[in-house]
């Protein structure tokens, strides 16, 4: 992987996100901090806004510890050492030469100074002795240092998979821009911070005076010292200030129900491995029943000892799934935790309340304390079929 | 004192509850050692690698309560690699062999496998309480084993653990005959739980006083539960997502009114501000309130709530409470002893949340304050000096200025004087965490004044080795010292090597300590384990024998009777 072109096209492969990142991405998907392009960009050369720059702006507007989470999210995150600055040179962000290091290092220092030379308060993001992983991850780190990180990852993914040249160019542009800004001689954080003060905050929060004097902190591993689960809180909760409370709940529900696909787990008695089924793919119980058969037929057949008749026997098992007449019965657990026979309610009601499915041995039905529900549902099913 | 019959001595020892006191009396003479060890019921092991499990069980065969801690504190912030160690299994195995009468097990920052939980569940017929804090390595299968086999279980308390959801209906595994639960906390579980089984469980456990639900529990379920548990003292709500006009919400309010014993509330994930009104009736009785999982509640709503909470002793909030909100806390909560203010919007673009003003307000209103964890964007010396004057009773003072190395914004000075005032004024200070721009001077103050200090956390601070030396030479009660990203090197490390045997542990990461320094320390002090934790990627790339000049990225030193541990992963070198 070549390091020289600071353009992230080669370097900018978002690292495979571990679960934590997926969770964050998913959870923040319903709540982007601000739509891209709302910032006025006064980048050197006045280039058009890009999500990357947006990210930079937001990142710089950050107070405090920026985004340690970012580094946390990268695989082998424990490998992210903030090695002391002293050893200079080496591979910096985007694969910089030694001579550029000084200018392009992210530094923490007294506000107003271009980072200063104090040892004690200086961290360098540009300091990794790792190879390609570093450059991509570092590029990712710089690029996504903010609440818009998700937006950026998305556009990066988008870029990768669809490859619209423009998108790539802009990202490149953004990154290059970062370099050129710094090259103009000021310490990077400083200049960018000043820039922020010119930029109309748009969707951002009200600027506070201290943002101008604060030196933009580099993302640091394990800083601020809070547990990981606390870092995700904001992004995964519903923000009430903008919408009415009613809307919140409704939107949330709509979002939950209208997502592409409604995957629920389904387990079958006697088969240790469960499956998942997308209920959106079906529009009635018959189709669901068929799908269940398809899912488990192979597994069930594999478990039976008799090789000759296995398929026939196995297929037979799935007859009468819905009406309690077969060897197995399909039941589900609803959103109140109750176990119900499948088929008792209209299909869309079922879809909106089902949480899990289970293929039970019919002989076990009573053991489940389905109680009155059983007879009621049975009658309902009969009347429907 | 040998003319006292042993029973009398033992009876006297019964009055000694603190581990330290018992440790001390056991060193008086052989007779006392014997009496003490046979009568000790509660054993605390602060570092699981300081002593072998078998040795503990052999010395204290009557152990009923065992507490063990594993990983160093900085593991909470992902500074310790995932498979560093801290396994619970050897402890459970040893207890199963040596102390089958075990009733309580408390583990913190340890790796607990499902296998260990299963062994635990089957090995101790009188087992009553399991408390797991910040642990990992287990799943709901392990919990199912506990639920199934621990007859007479009174307490299952899972705090901030990483638990894999295997979807087992673990809660349903509590048999119908289980009626003994007094405390159940599964707030950290991510998966769903069978609500019906939960409701039935709490209904039959009439002594249940503490219940903390996870986010998957709906408001409807909560309302049903509360109706069955009107004597609850501590409650952690579930998701609290509800439409305030919904019937469920009305039922909830009604249920809350019935719970006259509620003193502690937490949870509130996803709560919409309006729904907070449902707890107004309980607020006047609350002593503990944890709203730190509820970023949706902004300052004004928090304030409305807190105005009702005048008995509050412990408050955990997010910094969206703002300085103004803290002023309200100061004027309302005169009994406040512990305050934690967590950062809410680390990556976002929120407004400045809390500053030194909020802290000063709190200090002037809440004179009983003794424990503080405060994340803020800036702090001034003047503020800290005022706080020190107003609140001389701090035992725990942890200040985290989010911007590492940030000076006093008014004067551009380091915060040495401010923290100096704190240690001078608070004679009982046991735990201190520093942040902001700090020179060696602050350590001079700490070494000189913080006589009772037991735990010190340092990050991005100091100018030279002198800083660390001041602390090592000064704080005679120091037990745990953890340092990151500070310019302390071999000279500081080796200045007072005897000190480390009086401490539990020392952690240094991203400092200037070299491999040679670590080796020297290990050579001089054979009863210390000097662990060098290597960067995994580096160790692939580095030459086989890095030079002694090579700076060590992470070092963990601890006293031990057990010698080098045999479960260390390959990226850990024990020198």
């Amino acid at each position: 992987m070549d390091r020289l072109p600071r353009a992230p096209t080669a370097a900018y492969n978002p690292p495979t996100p571990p679960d934590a990142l997926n969770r964050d991405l998913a959870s923040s998907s319903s709540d982007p901090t601000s739509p891209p392009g709302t910032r006025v960009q006064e980048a050197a050369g006045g280039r058009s806004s890009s999500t990357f720059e947006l990210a930079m702006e937001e990142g710089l507007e950050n107070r405090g510890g920026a985004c340690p989470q970012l580094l946390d999210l990268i695989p082998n995150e424990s490998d992210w050492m903030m090695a002391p600055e002293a050893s200079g040179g080496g591979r910096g962000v985007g694969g910089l030469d030694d001579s550029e290091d000084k200018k392009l290092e992210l530094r923490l220092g007294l506000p107003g100074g271009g980072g200063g030379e104090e040892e004690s308060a200086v961290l360098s993001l540009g300091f990794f002795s790792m190879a390609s992983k570093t450059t991509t991850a570092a590029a990712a780190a710089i690029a996504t240092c903010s609440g818009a990180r998700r937006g950026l990852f998305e556009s990066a993914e988008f870029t990768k998979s669809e490859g619209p040249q423009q998108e790539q160019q802009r990202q490149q542009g953004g990154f290059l821009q970062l370099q050129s800004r710094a090259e103009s001689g000021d310490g990077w954080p400083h200049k960018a911070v000043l820039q922020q003060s010119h930029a109309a905050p748009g969707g951002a929060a009200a600027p506070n005076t201290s943002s101008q004097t604060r030196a933009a902190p580099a993302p640091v591993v394990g800083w601020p010292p809070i547990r990981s689960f606390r870092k995700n809180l904001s992004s995964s909760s519903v923000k009430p200030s903008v919408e009415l409370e009613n809307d919140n709940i409704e939107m949330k529900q709509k979002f939950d129900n209208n997502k592409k696909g409604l995957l629920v787990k389904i387990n079958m008695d006697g088969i240790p491995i469960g499956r998942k089924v997308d209920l959106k793919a079906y529009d009635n119980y018959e189709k669901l029943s068929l799908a269940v058969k398809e899912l488990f037929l192979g597994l069930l057949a594999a478990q039976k000892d008799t090789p000759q008749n296995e398929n026939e026997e196995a297929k037979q098992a799935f007859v009468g799934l819905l009406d309690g007449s077969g060897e197995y019965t399909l039941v589900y657990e609803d959103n109140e935790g109750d176990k119900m026979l499948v088929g008792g309610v209209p299909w869309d009601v079922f879809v909106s309340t089902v949480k899990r499915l289970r293929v039970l041995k019919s002989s076990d039905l009573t053991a489940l304390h389905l109680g009155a529900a059983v007879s009621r549902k049975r009658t309902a099913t009969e009347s429907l079929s | 004192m040998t003319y006292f019959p042993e029973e009398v001595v033992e009876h006297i020892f019964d009055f000694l509850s603190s581990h330290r006191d018992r440790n001390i009396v056991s060193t008086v003479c052989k007779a006392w050692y014997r009496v003490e060890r046979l009568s000790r019921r509660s054993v605390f092991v602060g570092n699981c690698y300081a002593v072998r499990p078998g040795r503990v069980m052999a010395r204290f065969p009557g152990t009923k309560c065992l507490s063990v801690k594993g990983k160093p504190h900085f593991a909470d912030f992902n500074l310790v690699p995932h498979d560093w160690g801290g396994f619970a299994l050897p402890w459970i195995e040893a207890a199963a062999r040596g102390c089958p009468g075990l009733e309580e097990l408390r583990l913190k920052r340890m790796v607990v496998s499902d296998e260990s939980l299963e062994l635990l569940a089957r090995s101790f017929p009188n087992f009553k309480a399991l408390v797991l804090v910040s642990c990992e390595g287990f799943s709901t299968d392990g919990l199912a084993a506990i639920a199934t086999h621990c007859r007479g279980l009174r307490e299952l308390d899972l705090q901030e653990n990483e638990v894999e959801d295997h979807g087992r209906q673990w809660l349903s595994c509590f048999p119908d005959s289980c009626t003994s639960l007094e405390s159940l906390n599964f707030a950290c579980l991510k998966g769903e739980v069978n609500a019906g089984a939960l409701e039935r469980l709490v209904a039959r456990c009439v002594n249940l006083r503490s219940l903390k639900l996870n986010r998957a529990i709906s408001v409807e379920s909560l309302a049903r539960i509360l109706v069955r548990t009107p004597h609850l003292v501590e409650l952690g709500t579930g998701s609290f997502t509800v439409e305030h006009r919904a019937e469920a919400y009305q039922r909830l309010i009604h249920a809350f009114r019935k719970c006259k014993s509620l003193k502690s509330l937490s949870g509130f994930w996803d709560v919409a501000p309006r729904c907070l009104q449902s707890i107004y009736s309980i607020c006047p009785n609350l002593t503990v309130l944890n709203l730190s999982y509820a970023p949706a509640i902004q300052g004004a709503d928090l304030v409305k709530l807190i105005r009702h909470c005048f008995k509050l002793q412990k408050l955990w909030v997010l910094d969206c409470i703002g300085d103004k909100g803290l002023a309200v806390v100061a004027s309302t909560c005169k009994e406040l002893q512990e305050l934690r203010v967590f950062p809410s919007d680390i990556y976002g673009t929120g407004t400045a949340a809390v500053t030194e003003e909020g802290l000063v307000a709190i200090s002037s209103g809440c004179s009983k304050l003794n424990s503080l964890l405060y994340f803020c964007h800036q702090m001034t010396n003047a503020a800290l000096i005022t706080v020190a004057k107003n609140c001389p009773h701090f035992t725990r003072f942890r200040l985290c200025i989010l911007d590492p190395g940030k000076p006093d914004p008014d004067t551009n000075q380091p915060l040495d004087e401010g923290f100096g005032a704190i240690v001078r004024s608070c004679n009982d200070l046991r735990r201190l965490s520093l942040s902001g721009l700090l020179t060696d001077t602050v350590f001079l103050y700490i070494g000189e004044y913080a006589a009772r200090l037991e735990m010190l956390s340092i990050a991005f601070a100091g100018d030279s080795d002198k800083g660390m030396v001041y602390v090592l030479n000064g704080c005679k009660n120091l037990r745990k010292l953890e340092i990151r990203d500070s310019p302390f090197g071999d000279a500081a490390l080796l200045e007072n090597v005897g000190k480390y045997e009086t401490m539990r542990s020392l952690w240094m990461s991203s400092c200037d300590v070299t491999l040679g320094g670590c080796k020297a320390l290990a050579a001089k002090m054979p009863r210390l384990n000097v662990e060098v934790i290597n960067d995994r990627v580096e160790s692939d790339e580095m030459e086989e024998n890095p030079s002694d000049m090579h700076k060590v990225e992470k070092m963990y030193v601890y006293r031990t009777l057990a010698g080098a541990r045999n479960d260390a992963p390959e990226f850990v070198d024990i020198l």
Side-chain angles (χ1 to χ4, degrees):
Chain A
M1 187 155 315
D2 60 347
R3 310 178 270 131
L4 262 198
R6 288 126 200 180
T9 35
Y12 191 77
N13 301 314
T16 321
D19 277 354
L21 176 52
N22 278 333
R23 256 206 305 280
D24 301 331
L25 296 185
S27 56
S28 55
S29 64
S30 55
D31 187 20
T33 38
S34 62
T38 50
R39 307 291 181 86
V40 170
Q41 307 289 334
E42 285 188 27
R47 295 199 194 209
S48 58
S49 64
S50 69
T51 45
F52 175 79
E53 278 186 52
L54 170 70
M56 289 317 311
E57 301 290 352
E58 287 185 81
L60 298 169
E61 211 182 44
N62 273 348
R63 288 157 287 121
C67 357
Q69 182 191 11
L70 208 43
L71 294 175
D72 286 348
L73 299 176
I74 292 169
N76 298 326
E77 43 109 344
S78 56
D79 300 328
W80 282 89
M81 296 310 138
M82 298 303 297
E85 187 237 357
S87 355
R91 315 166 201 185
V93 170
L96 306 167
D97 299 335
D98 288 352
S99 59
E100 314 260 48
D101 252 347
K102 286 288 180 227
K103 293 180 195 146
L104 290 162
E105 274 167 350
L106 296 176
R107 285 161 161 253
L108 298 173
L110 292 178
E117 296 302 317
E118 294 120 337
E119 305 270 35
S120 53
V122 173
L123 287 177
S124 172
L125 187 57
F127 207 72
F128 298 105
S129 52
M130 300 183 270
S132 49
K133 222 185 266 187
T134 314
T135 41
T136 54
I142 304 273
T144 58
C145 183
S146 78
R149 68 192 185 284
R150 212 196 106 272
L152 186 57
F153 267 114
E154 275 201 332
S155 58
E157 298 284 5
F158 179 72
T159 309
K160 271 175 67 87
S161 55
E162 321 236 346
Q165 207 46 34
Q166 228 169 358
E167 195 73 17
Q168 279 188 342
Q169 293 282 359
R170 262 190 278 137
Q171 287 210 352
Q172 278 188 45
F175 198 86
L176 277 175
Q177 208 137 16
L178 166 64
Q179 311 305 318
S180 59
R181 241 185 273 150
E183 270 161 333
S184 68
D186 297 322
W188 168 77
H190 184 53
K191 177 77 187 283
V193 168
L194 280 186
Q195 190 159 338
Q196 178 53 38
S197 64
H198 295 307
N208 43 27
T209 50
S210 49
S211 70
Q212 292 182 15
T213 50
R214 196 180 294 125
V220 177
V221 179
W223 191 266
I226 57 173
R227 303 288 310 279
S228 321
F229 63 82
R230 287 196 182 278
K231 292 182 184 168
N232 302 330
L233 284 179
S234 286
S235 55
S236 59
S237 86
V238 178
K239 295 243 175 7
S241 48
V242 181
E243 300 124 325
L244 293 174
E245 186 190 292
N246 303 349
D247 292 348
N248 281 353
I249 311 296
E250 282 162 9
M251 267 175 52
K252 194 168 187 301
Q253 284 171 349
K254 267 195 232 163
F255 182 74
D256 284 340
N257 288 338
N258 291 345
K259 288 195 293 221
K260 49 169 173 57
L262 178 62
L263 290 173
V264 294
K265 288 187 192 165
I266 175 165
N267 286 83
M268 179 161 177
D269 271 356
I271 298 189
I273 308 280
R275 306 289 310 259
K276 270 195 168 170
V277 56
D278 179 0
L279 291 177
K280 291 292 185 187
Y282 316 106
D283 53 19
N284 65 39
Y285 290 112
E286 284 310 309
K287 292 191 182 157
L288 175 63
S289 175
L290 278 175
V292 170
K293 174 171 150 191
E294 269 164 51
L295 279 179
F296 286 108
L297 186 55
L299 291 171
L300 189 62
Q303 299 217 172
K304 300 234 187 246
D305 283 336
T306 52
Q308 304 312 94
N309 303 334
E310 59 186 53
N311 279 335
E312 282 316 305
E313 248 188 66
K315 278 195 198 140
Q316 205 47 31
F318 294 99
V319 168
L321 265 184
L322 297 174
D323 57 16
S325 65
E327 191 186 336
Y328 289 90
T329 305
L330 193 57
V331 301
Y332 72 100
E333 188 179 318
D334 68 6
N335 54 3
E336 293 181 323
D338 294 324
K339 295 217 167 41
M340 315 286 275
L341 275 186
V342 165
V345 296
W347 175 258
D348 37 318
V349 176
F350 166 69
V351 168
S352 65
T353 56
V354 62
K355 291 292 169 218
R356 297 180 77 119
L357 284 164
R358 195 168 182 82
V359 185
L360 267 196
K361 270 203 154 322
S362 300
S363 48
D364 285 344
L365 271 179
T366 45
L368 264 196
H369 305 294
L370 286 176
V374 172
S375 48
R376 253 188 276 127
K377 296 300 172 200
R378 273 213 173 113
T379 351
T381 317
E382 276 155 7
S383 66
L384 276 182
S385 57
Chain B
M1 283 270 244
T2 46
Y3 48 81
F4 271 2
E6 284 192 358
E7 297 82 31
V8 178
V9 178
E10 185 180 323
H11 183 65
I12 297 176
F13 288 175
D14 273 349
F15 293 95
L16 298 173
S17 49
S18 112
H19 304 289
R20 251 175 261 176
D21 288 342
R22 292 199 73 120
N23 291 346
I24 291 174
V25 301
S26 67
T27 61
V28 166
C29 63
K30 284 209 177 110
W32 281 28
Y33 175 87
R34 220 185 114 251
V35 171
E36 195 286 313
R37 82 175 184 87
L38 293 175
S39 61
R40 180 145 3 176
R41 298 287 169 260
S42 173
V43 176
F44 171 76
V45 179
N47 174 3
C48 64
Y49 290 122
V51 61
R52 287 192 212 283
R55 176 85 192 98
V56 173
M57 310 306 159
R59 179 169 167 189
F60 303 112
T63 304
K64 290 218 159 40
C65 307
L66 177 64
S67 299
V68 188
K69 290 182 163 186
K71 301 186 196 180
H73 174 234
F74 276 175
D76 283 353
F77 319 128
N78 301 316
L79 288 180
V80 176
H82 181 72
D83 22 352
W84 170 84
F87 302 106
L89 188 58
W91 289 90
I92 297 178
E93 282 172 340
R97 279 190 298 265
C99 304
L102 192 72
E103 294 178 7
E104 295 180 23
L105 182 64
R106 289 176 163 68
L107 301 175
K108 184 166 184 179
R109 278 191 216 104
M110 296 193 76
V111 177
V112 184
S113 61
D114 283 340
E115 182 198 346
S116 3
L117 289 178
E118 273 153 36
L119 179 62
L120 175 69
R122 293 178 198 276
S123 307
F124 307 104
N126 294 337
F127 198 71
K128 295 195 169 55
L130 178 63
V131 180
L132 300 177
V133 180
S134 304
C135 295
E136 53 171 352
F138 61 104
S139 75
T140 46
D141 290 343
L143 297 179
I146 298 281
T148 309
H149 300 291
C150 294
R151 302 288 152 86
L153 189 71
R154 288 206 202 129
E155 183 178 347
L156 179 59
D157 188 358
L158 307 170
Q159 297 178 29
E160 302 185 355
N161 303 291
E162 287 279 334
V163 185
E164 260 189 52
D165 181 33
H166 285 183
R168 282 267 313 253
Q169 297 285 0
W170 66 273
L171 203 73
S172 317
C173 293
F174 281 107
D176 288 341
S177 53
C178 172
T179 57
S180 48
L181 273 184
E182 295 171 12
S183 166
L184 177 62
N185 173 4
F186 59 94
C188 62
L189 293 195
K190 297 180 214 115
E192 306 227 347
V193 150
N194 186 326
L198 174 62
E199 288 160 35
R200 287 187 295 275
L201 178 66
V202 302
R204 62 181 185 265
C205 293
V206 291
N207 293 327
L208 193 70
R209 294 293 172 265
S210 172
L211 178 63
K212 297 187 182 168
L213 310 170
N214 74 348
R215 204 168 174 175
I217 302 287
S218 67
V219 161
E220 291 83 5
S221 205
L222 175 62
R224 285 195 295 265
I225 288 172
L226 286 179
V227 164
R228 319 256 210 175
T229 57
H231 302 296
L232 219 50
V233 174
E234 292 182 353
L235 174 67
T237 71
S239 74
F240 227 97
T241 312
V242 67
E243 224 288 322
H244 72 278
R245 287 193 285 263
E247 197 196 322
Y249 183 64
Q250 297 305 320
R251 272 188 268 132
L252 189 66
I253 297 185
H254 186 70
F256 271 131
R257 285 214 192 99
K258 288 269 172 78
C259 294
K260 306 223 184 289
S261 313
L262 268 184
K263 290 208 163 49
S264 164
L265 279 185
S266 60
F268 297 104
W269 289 286
D270 314 317
V271 66
R274 204 147 176 194
C275 292
L276 284 181
Q277 292 176 7
S278 58
I279 63 168
Y280 283 1
S281 59
I282 313 175
C283 288
N285 289 329
L286 282 186
T287 55
V288 175
L289 181 58
N290 180 354
L291 291 169
S292 64
Y293 305 121
I297 314 178
Q298 298 294 308
D301 300 299
L302 273 176
V303 161
K304 266 191 261 169
L305 182 66
I306 284 172
R307 280 197 207 278
H308 298 254
C309 304
F310 44 86
K311 282 196 194 152
L312 215 53
Q313 293 172 16
K314 187 160 127 167
L315 175 64
W316 290 21
V317 280
L318 291 171
D319 61 2
C320 20
I321 192 174
D323 286 335
K324 294 214 169 66
L326 288 177
V328 174
V329 172
S331 61
T332 314
C333 310
K334 295 304 186 185
E335 302 298 311
L336 197 68
Q337 295 178 27
E338 176 177 325
L339 174 67
R340 295 197 193 190
V341 180
F342 293 96
S344 58
D345 213 6
I346 313 179
Y347 318 110
T349 54
T351 50
V354 295
T355 67
E356 73 277 9
E357 287 179 23
L359 187 58
V360 169
I362 288 282
S363 72
S364 39
C366 308
S367 55
K368 296 188 183 175
L369 196 65
N370 58 48
S371 173
L372 179 76
L373 172 60
Y374 196 77
F375 285 84
C376 60
H377 293 280
Q378 59 181 53
M379 185 54 59
T380 63
N381 282 312
L384 283 175
I385 292 170
T386 307
V387 169
K389 216 174 3 195
N390 292 340
C391 293
H393 304 298
F394 275 120
T395 54
R396 285 178 284 265
F397 190 87
R398 292 193 279 163
L399 181 67
C400 179
I401 302 165
L402 290 166
D403 208 337
K406 184 168 175 165
D408 179 333
D410 293 344
T411 62
N412 252 346
Q413 292 297 302
L415 292 174
D416 301 336
E417 297 308 313
F419 280 106
I422 294 282
V423 293
R424 253 194 301 267
S425 159
C426 304
N427 299 321
D428 292 324
L429 195 66
R430 292 197 312 260
R431 183 168 178 184
L432 178 63
S433 296
L434 308 170
S435 59
L437 182 64
L438 296 163
T439 71
D440 288 342
T441 309
V442 72
F443 299 113
L444 176 66
Y445 295 150
I446 291 174
E448 186 161 342
Y449 296 107
R452 295 231 171 85
L453 193 65
E454 296 177 5
M455 181 168 176
L456 179 61
S457 306
I458 302 172
F460 308 102
D463 306 316
S464 75
D465 289 331
K466 283 200 290 209
M468 184 168 161
V469 172
Y470 289 140
V471 172
L472 289 176
N473 287 344
C475 301
K476 53 181 167 51
N477 282 306
L478 194 64
R479 289 191 296 122
K480 286 182 281 184
L481 180 57
E482 47 186 25
I483 309 175
R484 62 167 294 180
D485 294 275
S486 301
F488 305 135
D490 295 340
L493 182 68
L494 298 171
E495 162 76 18
N496 184 355
V497 293
K499 176 76 174 170
Y500 306 127
E501 272 192 6
T502 68
M503 292 166 53
R504 184 187 299 173
S505 64
L506 165 69
W507 169 280
M508 292 179 76
S509 59
S510 305
C511 297
D512 292 345
V513 174
T514 69
L515 188 57
C518 294
K519 286 184 182 170
L521 176 61
K524 279 194 193 168
M525 306 292 295
R527 285 190 303 194
L528 299 179
N529 275 359
V530 179
E531 293 197 7
V532 171
I533 301 168
N534 295 311
D535 183 352
R536 224 168 314 192
V537 173
E538 254 185 43
S539 54
D540 293 339
E541 294 183 352
M542 298 286 303
E543 330 108 52
E544 278 308 308
N545 290 315
S547 87
D548 282 358
M549 305 290 282
H550 175 74
K551 281 198 191 158
V552 157
E553 195 43 52
K554 292 174 180 169
M555 179 195 74
Y556 184 48
V557 178
Y558 53 90
R559 67 180 176 189
T560 178
L561 299 172
R565 59 185 174 113
N566 54 11
D567 62 1
E570 15 142 282
F571 54 85
V572 171
D573 290 326
I574 305 184
L575 302 178

